[in-house]
Amino acid sequence: MIYQITVKTGSKKGPLVEKVDDGLIVYLREKPHDGEANTALIKLLSEYFDVPKTSITIKAGAKSHHKIIEL
């Protein structure tokens, strides 16, 4: 499955996943520094979807707030 995700880094709300009409909004406490936010994103999504971390791939937007992930 393919999902469009908007990531809000450095958020006090996080870690949190909200479902919206066109995808997901993910709030993370981590800053986008040295891949910390992407690592936290994959960990949070694996818990949210109840799948192993290795089954989640960032297909596009690795350095952007708008990402496309594949399960």
Side-chain angles (χ1 to χ4, degrees):
M1 295 192 68
I2 303 284
Y3 290 94
Q4 292 183 358
I5 295 179
T6 301
V7 179
K8 308 278 185 166
T9 57
S11 172
K12 292 182 182 180
K13 288 174 82 171
L16 175 69
V17 178
E18 289 182 349
K19 188 168 182 164
V20 292
D21 293 335
D22 58 343
L24 300 171
I25 298 176
V26 178
Y27 297 91
L28 299 173
R29 290 184 186 264
E30 290 77 12
K31 301 280 185 182
H33 179 55
D34 291 333
E36 291 174 9
N38 285 340
T39 302
L41 172 69
I42 290 174
K43 181 181 178 202
L44 181 61
L45 291 176
S46 72
E47 293 169 4
Y48 180 78
F49 290 112
D50 195 28
V51 296
K53 290 184 275 188
T54 55
S55 67
I56 298 174
T57 307
I58 298 174
K59 290 302 218 178
K63 294 186 177 186
S64 172
H65 288 284
H66 302 286
K67 302 180 186 301
I68 297 175
I69 61 127
E70 180 179 22
L71 293 179

